[in-house]
């Protein structure tokens, strides 16, 4: 199926935005400011599309996330203006080649493979995302279970911060961070990210031929 945006703009992601995930990755405290990185639009796939495991990596992880879709131009916005500029929200899976992330010392290759920016199943408008359940399952087993109220930097403040770094345009995408419970995917798996009020993003996993 097609992703909910045919031509997404910038894909801005934030790392280390749930304390339990910071701790599971070996940290002890939140960073002073959000940690930002980018994914290329060529990485985007939608609900039902296959996540491809690249030949360069031996460890590919799922990361279930709430995703905001920007609806109007933002630059140096206040949190209130940032929230008002969001067109809607969808589920996301920030797929990551964990071994390459550690090896490279920066995240472009690990986060940028084709099929590594999963979005869907649709964009929901007018949703209060301050306290929504987020669940990630692999083959029906719950791997991540959290709530958006546990984000270290909430959505409004996060988008405002990003707008102080770079101008956000309509159809830009913001991945807001993943909670604890990330883990490896294997060929043949089915990974699901479910967010209360949005629905279920479901994708099979395949080896790259």
């Amino acid at each position: 199926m097609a992703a909910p945006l045919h031509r997404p703009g910038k894909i801005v992601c934030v790392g280390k935005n749930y304390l339990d995930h910071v701790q599971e990755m070996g940290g002890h405290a939140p960073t002073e400011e959000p940690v930002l990185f980018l994914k290329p639009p060529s990485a985007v796939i939608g609900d039902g599309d296959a996540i491809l495991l690249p030949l360069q990596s031996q460890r590919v992880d799922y990361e279930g996330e709430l995703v905001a879709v920007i609806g109007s131009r933002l630059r140096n916005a206040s949190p209130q203006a940032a929230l008002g500029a969001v067109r809607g929200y969808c589920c996301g899976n920030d797929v990551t080649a964990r071994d390459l992330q550690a090896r490279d010392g920066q995240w472009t290759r690990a986060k940028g493979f084709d099929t590594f920016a999963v979005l869907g199943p649709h964009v929901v408008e007018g949703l209060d995302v301050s306290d929504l359940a987020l669940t990630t399952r692999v083959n029906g087993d719950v791997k991540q279970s959290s709530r958006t109220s546990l984000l270290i930097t909430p959505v409004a403040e996060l988008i405002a911060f990003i707008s102080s770094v770079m101008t956000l345009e309509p159809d830009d995408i913001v991945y807001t961070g993943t909670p604890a419970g990330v883990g490896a995917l294997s060929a043949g798996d089915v990974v699901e990210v479910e967010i209360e009020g949005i629905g279920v993003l479901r994708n099979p996993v395949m080896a790259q031929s």
Side-chain angles (χ1 to χ4, degrees), residues 81-130:
L83 202 59
V86 174
R87 176 162 74 84
Y89 300 91
C90 63
C91 303
N93 191 342
D94 170 20
V95 184
T96 303
R98 195 69 70 198
D99 53 346
L100 301 183
Q101 184 182 30
R103 184 187 309 168
D104 290 353
Q106 51 83 26
W107 300 358
T108 302
R109 179 167 64 140
K111 301 279 191 175
F113 285 99
D114 290 355
T115 78
F116 273 25
V118 193
L119 297 169
H122 42 248
V123 177
V124 176
E125 300 180 6
L127 188 64
D128 179 357
V129 298
S130 59

Short mmCIF file of all heavy atoms in Angstrom, two decimals, residues 81-130:
data_model
loop_
_atom_site.label_atom_id
_atom_site.label_comp_id
_atom_site.label_asym_id
_atom_site.label_seq_id
_atom_site.Cartn_x
_atom_site.Cartn_y
_atom_site.Cartn_z
N ALA A 81 2.15 27.52 18.48
CA ALA A 81 2.09 27.64 17.02
C ALA A 81 2.52 26.35 16.35
O ALA A 81 1.96 25.95 15.32
CB ALA A 81 2.97 28.80 16.56
N ALA A 82 3.51 25.67 16.93
CA ALA A 82 3.98 24.41 16.36
C ALA A 82 2.88 23.36 16.35
O ALA A 82 2.66 22.67 15.35
CB ALA A 82 5.19 23.90 17.15
N LEU A 83 2.17 23.26 17.46
CA LEU A 83 1.09 22.28 17.53
C LEU A 83 -0.02 22.63 16.55
O LEU A 83 -0.61 21.75 15.91
CB LEU A 83 0.54 22.22 18.96
CG LEU A 83 -0.19 20.94 19.36
CD1 LEU A 83 0.71 19.73 19.23
CD2 LEU A 83 -0.70 21.06 20.79
N GLY A 84 -0.29 23.92 16.38
CA GLY A 84 -1.33 24.34 15.46
C GLY A 84 -0.97 24.10 14.00
O GLY A 84 -1.86 24.08 13.15
N ALA A 85 0.31 23.93 13.71
CA ALA A 85 0.76 23.70 12.34
C ALA A 85 0.77 22.22 11.95
O ALA A 85 1.06 21.88 10.80
CB ALA A 85 2.15 24.28 12.13
N VAL A 86 0.45 21.34 12.90
CA VAL A 86 0.42 19.90 12.60
C VAL A 86 -0.87 19.57 11.87
O VAL A 86 -1.97 19.87 12.33
CB VAL A 86 0.53 19.07 13.89
CG1 VAL A 86 0.36 17.58 13.59
CG2 VAL A 86 1.88 19.32 14.58
N ARG A 87 -0.74 18.95 10.70
CA ARG A 87 -1.93 18.53 9.94
C ARG A 87 -2.58 17.30 10.55
O ARG A 87 -3.81 17.15 10.53
CB ARG A 87 -1.56 18.26 8.47
CG ARG A 87 -2.73 17.72 7.63
CD ARG A 87 -2.46 17.88 6.17
NE ARG A 87 -1.49 16.95 5.64
CZ ARG A 87 -1.78 15.70 5.25
NH1 ARG A 87 -3.01 15.24 5.36
NH2 ARG A 87 -0.84 14.93 4.75
N GLY A 88 -1.77 16.39 11.07
CA GLY A 88 -2.29 15.17 11.65
C GLY A 88 -1.17 14.26 12.09
O GLY A 88 0.02 14.62 12.02
N TYR A 89 -1.56 13.05 12.52
CA TYR A 89 -0.60 12.11 13.08
C TYR A 89 -0.81 10.73 12.48
O TYR A 89 -1.92 10.35 12.09
CB TYR A 89 -0.78 12.03 14.60
CG TYR A 89 -0.57 13.34 15.31
CD1 TYR A 89 -1.63 14.22 15.53
CD2 TYR A 89 0.70 13.72 15.74
CE1 TYR A 89 -1.44 15.44 16.17
CE2 TYR A 89 0.90 14.94 16.37
CZ TYR A 89 -0.17 15.79 16.59
OH TYR A 89 0.03 16.99 17.21
N CYS A 90 0.28 9.96 12.44
CA CYS A 90 0.20 8.57 12.01
C CYS A 90 1.19 7.75 12.83
O CYS A 90 1.94 8.28 13.65
CB CYS A 90 0.46 8.43 10.52
SG CYS A 90 2.10 8.92 9.96
N CYS A 91 1.16 6.46 12.63
CA CYS A 91 2.13 5.56 13.25
C CYS A 91 3.40 5.55 12.40
O CYS A 91 3.36 5.73 11.18
CB CYS A 91 1.58 4.14 13.34
SG CYS A 91 0.03 3.96 14.22
N GLY A 92 4.51 5.29 13.05
CA GLY A 92 5.78 5.18 12.33
C GLY A 92 6.65 4.07 12.90
O GLY A 92 6.50 3.68 14.06
N ASN A 93 7.53 3.59 12.06
CA ASN A 93 8.53 2.62 12.48
C ASN A 93 9.87 3.12 11.96
O ASN A 93 10.12 3.14 10.74
CB ASN A 93 8.21 1.23 11.91
CG ASN A 93 9.05 0.13 12.52
OD1 ASN A 93 10.10 0.38 13.11
ND2 ASN A 93 8.62 -1.11 12.34
N ASP A 94 10.70 3.59 12.87
CA ASP A 94 12.03 4.11 12.55
C ASP A 94 13.01 2.94 12.51
O ASP A 94 13.76 2.69 13.45
CB ASP A 94 12.44 5.15 13.59
CG ASP A 94 13.89 5.59 13.49
OD1 ASP A 94 14.49 5.40 12.43
OD2 ASP A 94 14.42 6.10 14.50
N VAL A 95 12.98 2.21 11.40
CA VAL A 95 13.81 1.00 11.28
C VAL A 95 15.29 1.40 11.26
O VAL A 95 15.67 2.39 10.63
CB VAL A 95 13.43 0.22 10.01
CG1 VAL A 95 14.21 -1.08 9.93
CG2 VAL A 95 11.92 -0.06 9.99
N THR A 96 16.10 0.62 11.99
CA THR A 96 17.49 1.01 12.24
C THR A 96 18.42 -0.18 12.12
O THR A 96 18.19 -1.22 12.74
CB THR A 96 17.63 1.60 13.66
OG1 THR A 96 16.73 2.70 13.82
CG2 THR A 96 19.04 2.06 13.92
N ALA A 97 19.49 -0.02 11.34
CA ALA A 97 20.55 -1.03 11.30
C ALA A 97 21.46 -0.77 12.50
O ALA A 97 22.36 0.07 12.46
CB ALA A 97 21.33 -0.95 10.00
N ARG A 98 21.19 -1.47 13.60
CA ARG A 98 21.82 -1.14 14.88
C ARG A 98 23.34 -1.35 14.84
O ARG A 98 24.10 -0.57 15.44
CB ARG A 98 21.21 -1.99 15.99
CG ARG A 98 21.54 -1.49 17.38
CD ARG A 98 20.85 -0.18 17.69
NE ARG A 98 19.40 -0.34 17.84
CZ ARG A 98 18.53 0.66 17.77
NH1 ARG A 98 18.94 1.89 17.56
NH2 ARG A 98 17.24 0.43 17.91
N ASP A 99 23.79 -2.37 14.16
CA ASP A 99 25.23 -2.62 14.10
C ASP A 99 25.94 -1.51 13.33
O ASP A 99 27.03 -1.08 13.72
CB ASP A 99 25.53 -3.99 13.51
CG ASP A 99 24.86 -4.25 12.16
OD1 ASP A 99 23.95 -3.48 11.77
OD2 ASP A 99 25.24 -5.23 11.49
N LEU A 100 25.32 -1.02 12.28
CA LEU A 100 25.94 0.05 11.50
C LEU A 100 25.89 1.37 12.25
O LEU A 100 26.80 2.20 12.13
CB LEU A 100 25.25 0.19 10.14
CG LEU A 100 25.26 -1.07 9.27
CD1 LEU A 100 24.61 -0.78 7.93
CD2 LEU A 100 26.67 -1.62 9.09
N GLN A 101 24.85 1.58 13.04
CA GLN A 101 24.75 2.77 13.87
C GLN A 101 25.94 2.84 14.83
O GLN A 101 26.57 3.88 15.00
CB GLN A 101 23.44 2.77 14.63
CG GLN A 101 23.18 4.02 15.46
CD GLN A 101 21.87 3.93 16.23
OE1 GLN A 101 21.44 2.85 16.61
NE2 GLN A 101 21.24 5.07 16.45
N ALA A 102 26.24 1.71 15.45
CA ALA A 102 27.38 1.65 16.38
C ALA A 102 28.71 1.78 15.64
O ALA A 102 29.63 2.45 16.12
CB ALA A 102 27.32 0.35 17.17
N ARG A 103 28.80 1.15 14.48
CA ARG A 103 30.05 1.13 13.74
C ARG A 103 30.41 2.49 13.15
O ARG A 103 31.56 2.92 13.20
CB ARG A 103 29.97 0.10 12.62
CG ARG A 103 31.27 -0.09 11.83
CD ARG A 103 31.03 -1.00 10.63
NE ARG A 103 30.37 -2.25 11.03
CZ ARG A 103 29.85 -3.11 10.16
NH1 ARG A 103 29.91 -2.86 8.86
NH2 ARG A 103 29.28 -4.22 10.59
N ASP A 104 29.41 3.18 12.61
CA ASP A 104 29.68 4.43 11.88
C ASP A 104 29.91 5.62 12.80
O ASP A 104 30.54 6.59 12.41
CB ASP A 104 28.51 4.75 10.94
CG ASP A 104 28.41 3.79 9.76
OD1 ASP A 104 29.33 2.94 9.60
OD2 ASP A 104 27.42 3.87 9.02
N GLY A 105 29.33 5.58 14.00
CA GLY A 105 29.46 6.73 14.89
C GLY A 105 28.53 7.87 14.55
O GLY A 105 28.49 8.88 15.24
N GLN A 106 27.80 7.76 13.50
CA GLN A 106 26.70 8.67 13.15
C GLN A 106 25.65 7.82 12.43
O GLN A 106 25.88 6.66 12.14
CB GLN A 106 27.17 9.87 12.32
CG GLN A 106 28.01 9.53 11.09
CD GLN A 106 27.17 9.15 9.89
OE1 GLN A 106 26.03 9.57 9.78
NE2 GLN A 106 27.74 8.36 9.00
N TRP A 107 24.48 8.39 12.19
CA TRP A 107 23.32 7.53 11.97
C TRP A 107 22.77 7.52 10.54
O TRP A 107 21.77 6.87 10.28
CB TRP A 107 22.19 7.96 12.92
CG TRP A 107 22.55 7.86 14.36
CD1 TRP A 107 23.73 7.40 14.89
CD2 TRP A 107 21.74 8.23 15.47
NE1 TRP A 107 23.70 7.47 16.25
CE2 TRP A 107 22.48 7.98 16.65
CE3 TRP A 107 20.45 8.75 15.59
CZ2 TRP A 107 21.99 8.22 17.92
CZ3 TRP A 107 19.95 9.00 16.86
CH2 TRP A 107 20.71 8.74 18.01
N THR A 108 23.43 8.21 9.61
CA THR A 108 22.84 8.37 8.27
C THR A 108 22.64 7.02 7.58
O THR A 108 21.54 6.73 7.09
CB THR A 108 23.73 9.29 7.41
OG1 THR A 108 23.84 10.55 8.06
CG2 THR A 108 23.11 9.47 6.04
N ARG A 109 23.68 6.21 7.52
CA ARG A 109 23.53 4.92 6.83
C ARG A 109 22.58 4.01 7.59
O ARG A 109 21.70 3.37 6.99
CB ARG A 109 24.91 4.26 6.67
CG ARG A 109 24.82 2.90 5.98
CD ARG A 109 26.15 2.37 5.53
NE ARG A 109 27.09 2.09 6.60
CZ ARG A 109 27.90 1.03 6.63
NH1 ARG A 109 27.86 0.13 5.65
NH2 ARG A 109 28.75 0.87 7.61
N ALA A 110 22.73 3.94 8.90
CA ALA A 110 21.93 3.02 9.71
C ALA A 110 20.44 3.30 9.63
O ALA A 110 19.61 2.39 9.75
CB ALA A 110 22.38 3.08 11.16
N LYS A 111 20.08 4.56 9.41
CA LYS A 111 18.68 4.96 9.41
C LYS A 111 18.13 5.21 8.01
O LYS A 111 16.92 5.43 7.86
CB LYS A 111 18.51 6.26 10.21
CG LYS A 111 18.95 6.18 11.67
CD LYS A 111 17.90 5.57 12.54
CE LYS A 111 18.22 5.73 14.02
NZ LYS A 111 17.12 5.23 14.89
N GLY A 112 19.00 5.17 6.98
CA GLY A 112 18.60 5.69 5.68
C GLY A 112 18.32 4.69 4.58
O GLY A 112 18.00 5.10 3.46
N PHE A 113 18.41 3.39 4.86
CA PHE A 113 18.15 2.41 3.82
C PHE A 113 16.72 2.53 3.29
O PHE A 113 15.80 2.94 4.01
CB PHE A 113 18.36 0.99 4.35
CG PHE A 113 19.80 0.60 4.53
CD1 PHE A 113 20.40 0.67 5.79
CD2 PHE A 113 20.56 0.16 3.47
CE1 PHE A 113 21.73 0.29 5.96
CE2 PHE A 113 21.88 -0.22 3.63
CZ PHE A 113 22.46 -0.15 4.88
N ASP A 114 16.52 2.14 2.04
CA ASP A 114 15.17 2.02 1.50
C ASP A 114 14.34 1.13 2.42
O ASP A 114 14.84 0.11 2.92
CB ASP A 114 15.20 1.41 0.10
CG ASP A 114 15.80 2.34 -0.94
OD1 ASP A 114 16.10 3.50 -0.61
OD2 ASP A 114 15.97 1.90 -2.09
N THR A 115 13.10 1.53 2.65
CA THR A 115 12.09 0.85 3.49
C THR A 115 12.28 1.12 4.98
O THR A 115 11.55 0.54 5.79
CB THR A 115 12.00 -0.67 3.26
OG1 THR A 115 13.09 -1.36 3.91
CG2 THR A 115 11.97 -1.02 1.77
N PHE A 116 13.19 1.99 5.39
CA PHE A 116 13.48 2.20 6.81
C PHE A 116 12.68 3.35 7.44
O PHE A 116 12.88 3.66 8.62
CB PHE A 116 14.97 2.44 7.03
CG PHE A 116 15.78 1.17 7.19
CD1 PHE A 116 15.34 -0.04 6.67
CD2 PHE A 116 16.99 1.18 7.87
CE1 PHE A 116 16.09 -1.21 6.81
CE2 PHE A 116 17.74 0.01 8.04
CZ PHE A 116 17.29 -1.18 7.50
N ALA A 117 11.79 3.99 6.66
CA ALA A 117 10.91 5.02 7.22
C ALA A 117 9.48 4.59 6.94
O ALA A 117 8.91 4.90 5.90
CB ALA A 117 11.20 6.38 6.60
N VAL A 118 8.91 3.86 7.88
CA VAL A 118 7.58 3.26 7.68
C VAL A 118 6.52 4.20 8.26
O VAL A 118 6.65 4.65 9.41
CB VAL A 118 7.51 1.88 8.34
CG1 VAL A 118 6.28 1.13 7.85
CG2 VAL A 118 8.77 1.06 8.04
N LEU A 119 5.47 4.47 7.48
CA LEU A 119 4.42 5.41 7.87
C LEU A 119 3.05 4.83 7.55
O LEU A 119 2.86 4.21 6.51
CB LEU A 119 4.56 6.73 7.10
CG LEU A 119 5.82 7.56 7.32
CD1 LEU A 119 5.88 8.67 6.27
CD2 LEU A 119 5.84 8.14 8.71
N GLY A 120 2.08 5.06 8.45
CA GLY A 120 0.72 4.63 8.16
C GLY A 120 -0.09 4.40 9.43
O GLY A 120 0.37 4.74 10.52
N PRO A 121 -1.24 3.77 9.34
CA PRO A 121 -1.90 3.39 8.08
C PRO A 121 -2.57 4.57 7.40
O PRO A 121 -2.94 4.49 6.23
CB PRO A 121 -2.92 2.35 8.53
CG PRO A 121 -3.25 2.76 9.94
CD PRO A 121 -1.99 3.29 10.52
N HIS A 122 -2.75 5.69 8.13
CA HIS A 122 -3.36 6.90 7.58
C HIS A 122 -3.04 8.05 8.52
O HIS A 122 -2.53 7.84 9.62
CB HIS A 122 -4.88 6.74 7.43
CG HIS A 122 -5.52 6.06 8.59
ND1 HIS A 122 -6.06 4.80 8.51
CD2 HIS A 122 -5.65 6.42 9.90
CE1 HIS A 122 -6.53 4.44 9.71
NE2 HIS A 122 -6.28 5.40 10.56
N VAL A 123 -3.30 9.27 8.07
CA VAL A 123 -3.08 10.46 8.89
C VAL A 123 -4.39 10.83 9.56
O VAL A 123 -5.42 11.00 8.89
CB VAL A 123 -2.56 11.63 8.03
CG1 VAL A 123 -2.40 12.88 8.88
CG2 VAL A 123 -1.23 11.25 7.37
N VAL A 124 -4.36 10.96 10.88
CA VAL A 124 -5.56 11.31 11.66
C VAL A 124 -5.44 12.76 12.09
O VAL A 124 -4.44 13.15 12.72
CB VAL A 124 -5.70 10.39 12.89
CG1 VAL A 124 -6.89 10.82 13.74
CG2 VAL A 124 -5.87 8.94 12.44
N GLU A 125 -6.44 13.55 11.79
CA GLU A 125 -6.44 14.97 12.12
C GLU A 125 -7.17 15.21 13.44
O GLU A 125 -8.04 14.43 13.84
CB GLU A 125 -7.08 15.77 10.99
CG GLU A 125 -6.35 15.64 9.67
CD GLU A 125 -6.99 16.44 8.55
OE1 GLU A 125 -7.94 17.21 8.84
OE2 GLU A 125 -6.55 16.31 7.40
N GLY A 126 -6.82 16.31 14.10
CA GLY A 126 -7.53 16.75 15.29
C GLY A 126 -7.37 15.85 16.50
O GLY A 126 -8.22 15.84 17.39
N LEU A 127 -6.27 15.12 16.58
CA LEU A 127 -6.06 14.16 17.66
C LEU A 127 -5.24 14.79 18.78
O LEU A 127 -4.21 15.43 18.53
CB LEU A 127 -5.33 12.93 17.11
CG LEU A 127 -5.16 11.72 18.02
CD1 LEU A 127 -6.50 11.12 18.38
CD2 LEU A 127 -4.27 10.67 17.33
N ASP A 128 -5.69 14.61 20.01
CA ASP A 128 -4.91 15.01 21.18
C ASP A 128 -3.91 13.90 21.47
O ASP A 128 -4.29 12.80 21.88
CB ASP A 128 -5.83 15.24 22.38
CG ASP A 128 -5.07 15.65 23.65
OD1 ASP A 128 -3.83 15.71 23.62
OD2 ASP A 128 -5.74 15.88 24.67
N VAL A 129 -2.62 14.17 21.27
CA VAL A 129 -1.61 13.12 21.39
C VAL A 129 -0.85 13.20 22.71
O VAL A 129 0.21 12.59 22.86
CB VAL A 129 -0.62 13.17 20.21
CG1 VAL A 129 -1.34 12.93 18.90
CG2 VAL A 129 0.14 14.50 20.18
N SER A 130 -1.39 13.92 23.68
CA SER A 130 -0.65 14.12 24.93
C SER A 130 -0.53 12.86 25.78
O SER A 130 0.40 12.74 26.58
CB SER A 130 -1.31 15.23 25.75
OG SER A 130 -2.66 14.90 26.05
#
